[in-house]
Amino acid sequence: MAEKDNNWSITLSGFSAGYAPLAFDDSLTEIGGGGHASTMQNADVLTGKLTQGPGLANLTNGTQAGVVDELLQFIMDKAVSSDVTYGIGTSKLFQISSTAVSLAHSITSCTEGESIQVLKGNLYYFYNTASAGDIGKFDLSATYDDNWGSTVPTGAVALQNAPHPSDKKEDIIVFGNGRYAGTYIADTNTLSPTKLDFGNDAVVDDVLYNSGYWYLVVNSGITGTNRTEGQIYLYDGAALTTTLSDETGVGVQRIGFLYRINGVIYVAYQDLTSTGFIIGYIQGKAIVPLVRYTGTLPNFQQKTLYKNTILFLSSGLAYSAGAFVPELSYQLSQHADGGYATVGAVAAPFGTPMIASTDGGSNFRLAKFSGYETSASWKSIVFPVSQGKFKGYIDEVIVLTETLGAGASCSLTIEVDQASSTSNNAKTITTTGKRRHYFTALGLGQIEDFKVALDWSGGSATNDCAIRKIIVNGHYTEAT
């Protein structure tokens, strides 16, 4: 009888797979492939290679030592003129360029900025006061009217103290106003803050225009740790009637935001019975789930487009959801740090994402992606390597990288037997100009399973250590 080959080989590649399907619930998951992660921190997997995520660099005057002395809560995702956009904080408007931020205007009585729209050459800024809400108007030159919405247009009245998401098309702005969806039609200078009424326990939490319809996110119920019900209503693009066109629901789940990429509308929503949140997309009258993640449910202020994916903020971190190119599968990954623990707005009006954050005290920052993050790590799923009375033994690990630059470095360890033990000598992936890295003598002995752990904390913020493939070769040996 021929002798059975007792060798095995496992290859880790295709890292664009992102998180494993059950990573949100089980860091020792075995479900997934060689490119899936069980955990990760600030890792860039978007192109299929595995490397450090982007670092953050403060904009000029982008801290409390400059002009950013409050948390920016919304940043326009488009420029209003070359290299100029605006953001709104808890009491001020800020003018932002690709490199710097300056104070534009202190808003009378503002306690919470909400959203900004530019329509017909004017900038409209939605905000809350201590007891109500309002819309300010700026002519993009020198004149600010902070209580324009409650005093000037036909139908002028104070808004609710509530979230005020907004979107625009042509001469129309549709916005959330607590239980109401409001409209402003510039051609007639008519404001209708209570155009649509969704009921006492309802809040309009996002607004999006797409293909002739306004999509309105309405969450109903008692918030906090209680279940709420999420609905997405369609409203005619002319915004003249008080009749809805259609609706799509997610049941007893709360909706965080809507986002459109290439005509597809994605939805972030939450189920309180699970530790995870879900991103899916609208298909007809249904929501098709795609990926699940953990952390706080992001709102309408915390999303932007990044490399054909949705970059969103959750629990102080930046995540990517989507596929860089159509040939890659839809992935979810924890891509970058958010700065301080409490994050505000994210936007990429000039192509590079910028994130606002605070430590909850006196420190604030507005920073953009720059260089590489060294506080980065990644762990694979668990790979079983035992059969019957045989256990596995790792003979060698081969790591293929891009050509490494000066200072590029990554530490590799192997966690075995349900992560109860770790290889006693970490292997360093480094050396300028090198692409193939060969490691033996891991000091593990017989094992039942393993996962690969990578850590870039000893690496470079200038030259990353990008991994193309990891090959783990071993053999079976009779358990002792």
Side-chain angles (χ1 to χ4, degrees), residues 377-437:
S377 61
W378 182 95
K379 294 183 181 182
S380 72
I381 64 171
V382 171
F383 298 100
V385 288
S386 61
Q387 291 185 1
K389 64 180 181 179
F390 293 93
K391 289 186 177 181
Y393 186 95
I394 297 177
D395 297 312
E396 61 186 9
V397 178
I398 303 166
V399 181
L400 305 181
T401 65
E402 292 186 337
T403 303
L404 298 186
S409 179
C410 179
S411 173
L412 180 148
T413 55
I414 306 293
E415 298 179 3
V416 302
D417 299 342
Q418 297 293 287
S420 63
S421 181
T422 303
S423 53
N424 57 16
N425 49 347
K427 304 300 182 180
T428 303
I429 306 162
T430 190
T431 307
T432 303
K434 197 171 183 179
R435 290 177 296 277
R436 187 178 185 274
H437 312 262

Side-chain angles (χ1 to χ4, degrees), residues 9-21 29-38 40 45 48-50 378-384 450-454 467-472:
S9 180
I10 294 174
T11 299
L12 283 65
S13 63
F15 300 107
S16 59
Y19 279 115
T29 181
E30 298 177 14
I31 298 175
H36 276 118
S38 60
M40 72 173 79
V45 303
K49 298 174 184 177
L50 173 58
W378 182 95
K379 294 183 181 182
S380 72
I381 64 171
V382 171
F383 298 100
F450 75 90
K451 62 192 298 189
V452 175
L454 301 169
I467 294 169
R468 297 181 289 136
K469 186 179 294 186
I470 300 171
I471 304 165
V472 182

Side-chain angles (χ1 to χ4, degrees), residues 191-391:
L191 183 70
S192 303
T194 59
K195 189 76 171 184
L196 303 170
D197 185 354
F198 295 99
N200 285 327
D201 65 347
V203 176
V204 177
D205 278 317
D206 206 356
V207 176
L208 174 69
Y209 179 77
N210 184 61
S211 300
Y213 292 96
W214 301 95
Y215 287 70
L216 309 173
V217 167
V218 178
N219 290 305
S220 302
I222 308 301
T223 58
T225 58
N226 307 290
R227 269 184 161 178
T228 57
E229 183 169 4
Q231 293 286 122
I232 302 169
Y233 294 96
L234 271 66
Y235 180 49
D236 184 72
L240 297 174
T241 73
T242 56
T243 303
L244 296 168
S245 301
D246 206 346
E247 65 181 280
T248 297
V250 296
V252 284
Q253 301 178 100
R254 182 173 187 81
I255 300 173
F257 67 71
L258 301 178
Y259 200 75
R260 179 186 64 242
I261 300 179
N262 300 327
V264 178
I265 298 178
Y266 295 91
V267 186
Y269 57 101
Q270 173 188 27
D271 174 8
L272 285 181
T273 65
S274 170
T275 58
F277 303 96
I278 302 166
I279 289 183
Y281 64 94
I282 297 177
Q283 185 177 69
K285 293 188 178 183
I287 308 293
V288 179
L290 289 168
V291 291
R292 187 182 291 263
Y293 61 101
T294 56
T296 55
L297 183 67
N299 64 24
F300 70 93
Q301 301 162 324
Q302 297 176 316
K303 62 194 178 184
T304 190
L305 180 68
Y306 177 65
K307 296 185 177 180
N308 202 48
T309 74
I310 305 171
L311 187 76
F312 65 91
L313 304 182
S314 176
S315 296
L317 301 170
Y319 288 78
S320 165
F324 184 33
V325 294
E327 289 77 10
L328 298 176
S329 60
Y330 199 95
Q331 61 80 44
L332 174 71
S333 57
Q334 198 275 291
H335 188 73
D337 192 72
Y340 291 121
T342 300
V343 291
V346 62
F350 314 113
T352 300
M354 54 182 68
I355 301 174
S357 65
T358 177
D359 64 355
S362 58
N363 294 309
F364 304 88
R365 66 188 299 199
L366 178 60
K368 67 178 182 179
F369 284 2
S370 177
Y372 298 99
E373 177 64 66
T374 57
S375 180
S377 61
W378 182 95
K379 294 183 181 182
S380 72
I381 64 171
V382 171
F383 298 100
V385 288
S386 61
Q387 291 185 1
K389 64 180 181 179
F390 293 93
K391 289 186 177 181

Side-chain angles (χ1 to χ4, degrees), residues 455-476:
D455 187 333
W456 286 269
S457 58
S460 168
T462 303
N463 293 317
D464 67 322
C465 182
I467 294 169
R468 297 181 289 136
K469 186 179 294 186
I470 300 171
I471 304 165
V472 182
N473 293 326
H475 67 275
Y476 293 107

Side-chain angles (χ1 to χ4, degrees), residues 119-122 124 137 148 153-154 169-173 183-191 238 240:
L119 190 70
K120 299 288 188 177
N122 293 293
Y124 298 88
K137 183 179 179 180
W148 170 87
T154 302
K169 61 152 273 192
E170 299 169 358
D171 68 329
I172 302 171
I173 297 175
T183 64
Y184 172 64
I185 300 178
D187 284 354
T188 59
N189 195 32
T190 302
L191 183 70
L240 297 174

Side-chain angles (χ1 to χ4, degrees), residues 99-169:
T99 59
V101 56
S102 60
L103 175 63
H105 175 66
S106 293
I107 306 169
T108 304
S109 301
C110 177
T111 60
E112 185 179 45
E114 287 293 324
S115 66
I116 303 172
Q117 295 294 334
V118 171
L119 190 70
K120 299 288 188 177
N122 293 293
L123 184 146
Y124 298 88
Y125 45 100
F126 293 78
Y127 66 95
N128 285 321
T129 66
S131 59
D134 213 328
I135 309 170
K137 183 179 179 180
F138 172 43
D139 64 1
L140 292 175
S141 176
T143 303
Y144 294 89
D145 186 349
D146 289 341
N147 60 356
W148 170 87
S150 59
T151 60
V152 176
T154 302
V157 68
L159 304 184
Q160 304 288 307
N161 184 292
H164 299 298
S166 61
D167 202 2
K168 70 163 189 178
K169 61 152 273 192

Side-chain angles (χ1 to χ4, degrees), residues 58-80:
N58 296 331
L59 271 67
T60 300
N61 295 322
T63 70
Q64 68 282 350
V67 300
V68 179
D69 56 357
E70 60 186 41
L71 181 64
L72 273 76
Q73 296 169 322
F74 184 90
I75 300 170
M76 286 189 64
D77 222 359
K78 294 181 288 188
V80 300

